[in-house]
Amino acid sequence: MTSRERFLAACACRLLERPPLWIMRQAGRYLPEYRALKSSHSFLEMVRTPELAAEVTLQPLRRFALDAAILFSDILVIPEALGQPYRFREEGGIAMEYRLDSRARIEALAPAAEVPARLSYVSDTLALLRRELAGKHALLGFGGSPWTLATYMVEGGSSDDFLQIKSLFYQDRASFDLLLQKLTDALIAYFRAQIAAGADAIQIFDSWGGIIAGPDYEAASLRWIKAIIAALPKDFPVILYAKGTAPHLFDQSFSGARVLSVDWTVDLRVARDQLPKTIALQGNLDPVLMNLTPEIVRSQASALLERMRGQPGHIFNLGHGILPQARLDCVQALVDTVVNWKS
Ligand code: CP3
């Protein structure tokens, strides 16, 4: 069985000899070969140049026996394509070129129909990868959720308190809905382009879903995600990762997503026992373990595998992105443990 077949079988909730494995943010700063390439090219240059983006995507697969490749890009290419560019702050975090601080600025965003052409480098990268991978590994596309993208656009970058986006949600719902509808339309066009270019599955990152007041999660985030999934080809595998939203897992299982990717605070076996058997689960080791020791990684990964023994539809992953300080010997220990495990 190829890695791609293993990955798609897990999405379809089939019981496997071992779960497929990939790692959120598997291409990035913890890899010396990524840092080497970044010493001569900026992040944005790498993202916008299909040959470089494809090379970075493949770096983790050359080193580790991972089952899926995830497109090297960023969720912030969508605001950029709509006319709001981003950069990285010296001190860490994101700065948008300006804040979406008025209805006029929301209205001035580019039409969704222009997004695929403005992000044609993403389609070109996926097509290159599709050829390189030759059907052996699964190829994942991704994007941010409308809510998570709106937080960056309305806050003007990374935020601590999310005051501006919450103020828009509670004080001017019409403008909030206008922005989220524009993002929803842009993401539908973007994901359709990724599927046309060869993505096997798409992961939606609702990284900031967990900061919304519980009763408002549907109106602020989940309803827009549902609208996106409903507009994609029927039965195309969508993975929903919403950090810090364990109380909403049951609602998310009716979002249309085939896979729910959960953070490390969730007991994956409890989630498995409570959710419909048609939903696959992805996760969920604490990413911090990758900064500790191979012994700890081996024992924690084995414990998770044992807890999920006999449960179909598990994709092994971390509960969030791997950190820049992760140790290569810890990642190797994770890969060895999962790949050599027998159900
Ligand atoms: O998983 C992968 O390997 C694919 C690549 C990927 C990146 N960003 C590359 C990246 C993915 C899937 C993303 C998604 C992303 N980007 C999210 C959602 C996922 C999550 O972690 O919750 C978010 C919130 C962003 C926005 C973003 N981009 C942030 C907050 C940062 C860090 C800024 C900082 O403080 O340095 C980025 C930069 C970024 N995106 C890097 C990478 C490899 C690091 C850039 C560098 O090399 O310095």
Side-chain angles (χ1 to χ4, degrees), residues 24-29 34 38 43 70-76 88 92-94 142 152 205 207 320:
M24 281 192 261
R25 295 280 188 109
Q26 63 193 19
R29 287 171 284 191
Y34 174 84
K38 233 194 111 178
F43 176 81
I70 180 161
L71 166 75
F72 183 76
S73 186
D74 202 273
I75 62 169
L76 298 169
F88 299 109
I94 306 294
F142 74 91
Y152 288 100
F205 285 93
S207 303
H320 196 202

Side-chain angles (χ1 to χ4, degrees), residues 8 39 41 46 72 98 110 130 134 162 173 278 282 310 316 337:
L8 292 173
S39 66
H41 305 279
M46 294 195 299
F72 183 76
Y98 61 90
R130 176 102 191 166
F162 298 91
R173 185 67 64 89
T278 48
Q282 177 174 276
F316 207 107
T337 305

Side-chain angles (χ1 to χ4, degrees), residues 159-304:
S159 174
D160 294 326
D161 53 16
F162 298 91
L163 182 63
Q164 306 295 341
I165 186 69
K166 290 187 180 183
S167 145
L168 190 68
F169 179 77
Y170 290 109
Q171 293 187 300
D172 183 1
R173 185 67 64 89
S175 296
F176 177 89
D177 285 350
L178 177 67
L179 172 59
L180 272 85
Q181 187 63 57
K182 281 188 175 235
L183 285 165
T184 298
D185 294 343
L187 286 158
I188 290 168
Y190 183 46
F191 290 153
R192 284 182 178 156
Q194 292 189 22
I195 294 168
D200 291 309
I202 280 182
Q203 178 153 322
I204 299 177
F205 285 93
D206 193 13
S207 303
W208 295 116
I211 59 130
I212 304 165
D216 294 320
Y217 178 67
E218 172 76 23
S221 186
L222 192 58
R223 64 172 276 215
W224 310 100
I225 292 170
K226 287 178 182 167
I228 292 171
I229 298 172
L232 300 181
K234 200 172 161 317
D235 293 331
F236 182 83
V238 174
I239 307 167
L240 173 58
Y241 173 75
K243 183 163 175 280
T245 63
H248 306 304
L249 273 176
F250 191 70
D251 289 340
Q252 287 165 359
S253 74
F254 298 100
S255 64
R258 182 88 69 77
V259 184
L260 296 180
S261 185
V262 300
D263 72 28
W264 64 94
T265 64
V266 172
D267 182 327
L268 201 62
R269 182 55 195 274
V270 172
R272 178 69 289 163
D273 291 343
Q274 290 174 350
L275 295 173
K277 296 294 170 238
T278 48
I279 299 290
L281 291 173
Q282 177 174 276
N284 70 340
L285 279 194
D286 187 338
V288 161
L289 300 182
M290 299 299 134
N291 300 18
L292 304 182
T293 66
E295 292 69 35
I296 293 171
V297 170
R298 269 193 288 274
S299 80
Q300 294 302 309
S302 301
L304 178 54

